[in-house]
Amino acid sequence: SSPTHITSMVVMILIGSTCFSLVFQSMDGSRWIEHMLSGIPGGPVGFLIFVNIFIFLLAFFLDFFEIAFIVIPMLAPVAS
């Protein structure tokens, strides 16, 4: 596990997450996510509670980089 192996794994994760994000956005994934999350009871507060619990559960499996590059671009349009 040399530093080059770790760095290359991080770069590959970033490349993969960017590809996923581009495909997801090109297939109107943000509109699907917005439609799905707009029906959460509680309005904006319910949305924030759901997102916090969702990110908390994802943190068991993903690092900050994966969450930041995959999940945040999907949730940012809905939050605005």
Side-chain angles (χ1 to χ4, degrees), residues 11 18 63:
V11 169
T18 303
D63 287 339

Side-chain angles (χ1 to χ4, degrees), residues 5-32:
H5 286 112
I6 295 171
T7 303
S8 64
M9 286 190 300
V10 169
V11 169
M12 290 305 294
I13 289 170
L14 294 177
I15 290 171
S17 65
T18 303
C19 291
F20 173 78
S21 179
L22 289 173
V23 170
F24 190 77
Q25 295 297 330
S26 69
M27 298 190 69
D28 267 346
S30 60
R31 188 174 303 175
W32 178 72

